[in-house]
Structure formats: C-alpha cells, structure tokens
Amino acid sequence: MSDFVLGARATFSRTVTVRVPSPDKPDTHEDQSLVVQYEALTDEEALALDAGHAALPEAERRRRPHYFLDRVVIGWSGPVDTDGRPVPFSAEALARALARPWTARAFYRGYGDGVSGDEARLGN
C-alpha cells in the first residue's frame, strides 16, 4: 500500500475498450482499446462545469453535447488512423472520436469507473 497523496490536480489513466460495430459482420462488434488520460474533477468543479454549460445559449449547448469529456479527457495513447499511423491527441481529434456514440459511451464509462475505483471482478 502507498501513502495517500493529496495534490492540487488529480489525473489518472484508464484502458478504455470501445465496442465498435463491425463493418463486415452483421450484428457483431469489434473491441478496440486505447489508454485515455483523465483529470478528475472535484464535486465543486463538476457542479461549476454543469452550471456553466447550462448557462450557455441552447444552440451552443447542442453544439457541445460532450462538454464534460471535453474538459476531463486530457490525453490518450493508442488511437491510429485507417493507415495505422498514430493519431495525436488534440481537441479536434477528440471531437472526431466523440462524434461516434460508441466512443463517447466508452469514454464516459472509463471516467466513471476510474473515479469510483470500480474494476471488473471476475467470478462475482
């Protein structure tokens, strides 16, 4: 066991598995993984983020459906393009990834599991 460290900024990484619909096999998915780096927000920061988003004009809120992930996802490793070249992390690349509902779902799950400490438990 290690010492509890109380720092100003809490970050963590999670291996996130995205279940991507198969383009070739009907009714199947392909599991694709990457490592996502997150910044854990305090309760106060999360509430302020929600309030700030709620205060935006409706058109702007609709334009930013994943405002929470825009704030907490701070990096990644593992994504590649269709030619197999690494895709560096950027706000634009994150927006492209989150445009796919299966990716957004997996990123939210990764954050939630990371801050709650929930891990897959085999046999339970």
Side-chain angles (χ1 to χ4, degrees), residues 16-23 28-34 36 38 66 69 96-110:
V16 172
T17 300
V18 181
R19 294 188 43 82
V20 179
S22 173
T28 62
H29 289 79
E30 177 180 301
D31 288 347
Q32 300 175 359
S33 296
L34 70 155
V36 179
Y38 297 96
H66 302 295
L69 291 176
R96 281 196 325 268
L98 296 178
R100 304 290 186 204
W102 45 85
T103 305
R105 252 190 321 274
F107 279 33
Y108 281 114
R109 188 173 48 251

Side-chain angles (χ1 to χ4, degrees), residues 37 42 59 66-67 78 107-108 118 120:
Q37 289 88 40
T42 64
H66 302 295
Y67 71 97
F107 279 33
Y108 281 114
D118 288 347

Side-chain angles (χ1 to χ4, degrees), residues 119-124:
E119 304 294 333
R121 290 176 177 84
L122 298 176
N124 289 338

